[in-house]
Amino acid sequence: MAMKRVKLGRSEVEVSEICLGTMTFGNQTDEADAHAQMDRAAGIGMTFFDTAEMYPVNPVRRETVGLTEEIVGRWLAQQGNRDRVEIATKITGPSQTVRDGAPYDGATVRACIDASLRRLQTDRIDLYQLHWPVRGTWAFRQNWTYAPEPDKDRVLDHMADVLDAVGQAVSEGKVRAFGLSNETAWGLTRWCDVAERTGGPRVASIQNEYSLLYRLFDTDLCETAVQEDVTLLAFSPLAAGLLTGKYAGGAMPDGSRAAVDKQTGGMGKLGGRLTGRAIAASDAFGRLAADHGWDPVHMAVAWQLTRPFRNVPIIGATDRHQLDHLIAGLDRSLPADLVKSIDRLHRDHPLPY
């Protein structure tokens, strides 16, 4: 298959229109399978890989922070692999598992870029992202109780400090483009404004959750991204597995992410996504896919590419077989009547979690 290429914002970084996520590498996905997935992806032109310093997840553990980057790095170190792909990684926002919850500033960013470069065994990061903002975010189901940061001047000073650090890394050739993640419309606008005022690197992308079940990006953030020429990197396009049909009717299959959560002491709620309304919505989308002769996984990913903004879905798989299944549907485009049916169904099942 011929994978299309997409520019990240106004940067010079060009990537495949589908991105391979790596957050399970080193936990549910062992190193051999992870390397096989990267081989498979690169072999079909899916050359954009996304990772983060805190990965692997499900769960995040202090002792495994950085392990995914190391696994990716060992693959990159193989002869010729680095020049085949584009690598995105992220600095962790305030988290008790990384830096004891301390917020990042410019100095932290500089140190973390160098640490990621060492783990990745490379001299450059194609896209360096802020995993979530220091001031907090409504992402990760925090929209239900979100309280914004009231100190605007402090926020703007922080942005200038971070952009200065990233700009230094860009000038040194360590970073090619700068991106955000789990950001708000106001935050995205301010990052663009501060970059313009200070001459710092402009935001090229924003990595936020986006799927048939989670469409908070569709309004203010969509308009902001379009007007500011920022590319969405859409994570969890399968809604943490809900849209695969594996949880149909409230099922809890062995080995699924929700089941693993329970085994490790979590509630098995897929980060707050596994609700009664989400099951009903997922089941409805599954029936719609079947009525139109589509696999629900393929429909969910293909729908992303119909949106009226530049959008790179991030797909992830715990094993090579899951990745093969995802890849099998990447050469199909949704017909217009199915897109319209999806929009109608969305009105019946808005924001189910």
Side-chain angles (χ1 to χ4, degrees), residues 20-33:
L20 178 67
T22 66
M23 70 179 188
T24 64
F25 292 4
N27 193 358
Q28 291 105 313
T29 307
D30 65 27
E31 184 158 345
D33 197 289

Side-chain angles (χ1 to χ4, degrees), residues 293-305:
W294 276 75
D295 182 293
V297 168
H298 300 160
M299 183 182 79
V301 175
W303 170 80
Q304 299 265 344
L305 301 180

Side-chain angles (χ1 to χ4, degrees), residues 91-111:
I91 183 173
T92 308
S95 166
Q96 292 304 313
T97 58
V98 183
R99 293 182 291 280
D100 295 321
Y104 54 78
D105 57 12
T108 310
V109 167
R110 282 187 284 270

Side-chain angles (χ1 to χ4, degrees), residues 63-85:
E63 59 270 25
T64 61
V65 166
L67 179 57
T68 301
E69 284 187 329
E70 292 174 4
I71 290 171
V72 174
R74 286 189 282 273
W75 183 87
L76 291 177
Q78 296 174 19
Q79 187 173 2
N81 275 349
R82 181 61 186 95
D83 293 332
R84 299 171 66 193
V85 295

Side-chain angles (χ1 to χ4, degrees), residues 129-324:
Q129 305 157 99
L130 310 179
H131 210 150
W132 59 88
V134 162
R135 69 183 195 281
T137 175
W138 46 249
F140 314 121
R141 260 55 61 201
Q142 296 179 88
N143 50 297
W144 303 107
T145 56
Y146 178 58
E149 165 66 62
D151 191 344
K152 179 179 178 181
D153 289 340
R154 187 199 67 79
V155 172
L156 297 181
D157 287 345
H158 163 78
M159 289 178 174
D161 182 41
V162 168
L163 285 174
D164 181 68
V166 177
Q168 179 181 337
V170 170
S171 67
E172 294 170 349
K174 296 177 179 180
V175 168
R176 296 182 62 206
F178 170 63
L180 306 171
S181 185
N182 298 296
E183 255 296 0
T184 67
W186 183 86
L188 175 55
T189 303
R190 294 287 78 80
W191 281 105
C192 292
D193 290 347
V194 173
E196 185 172 341
R197 173 170 57 83
T198 64
R202 183 177 176 79
V203 178
S205 63
I206 178 170
Q207 184 176 151
N208 277 29
E209 183 171 353
Y210 189 66
S211 71
L212 288 169
L213 300 187
Y214 192 83
R215 295 180 59 171
L216 284 177
F217 193 88
D218 274 344
T219 54
D220 291 359
L221 262 169
C222 170
E223 180 186 30
T224 305
V226 168
Q227 297 300 334
E228 298 295 340
D229 200 5
V230 173
T231 304
L232 171 65
L233 308 184
F235 76 81
S236 204
L238 299 179
L242 281 165
L243 290 167
T244 67
K246 70 174 70 174
Y247 301 108
M252 184 71 71
D254 291 340
S256 65
R257 177 172 166 182
V260 169
D261 284 347
K262 279 193 170 182
Q263 292 164 8
T264 57
M267 298 301 292
K269 295 295 185 181
L270 302 177
R273 299 177 183 88
L274 191 57
T275 68
R277 292 181 60 239
I279 293 295
S282 301
D283 289 352
F285 279 113
R287 290 190 296 271
L288 178 65
D291 289 345
H292 286 258
W294 276 75
D295 182 293
V297 168
H298 300 160
M299 183 182 79
V301 175
W303 170 80
Q304 299 265 344
L305 301 180
T306 70
R307 306 308 297 141
F309 46 83
R310 200 181 307 173
N311 172 17
V312 177
I314 302 173
I315 62 172
T318 55
D319 58 52
R320 166 71 183 273
H321 299 297
Q322 286 185 356
L323 182 62
D324 284 340

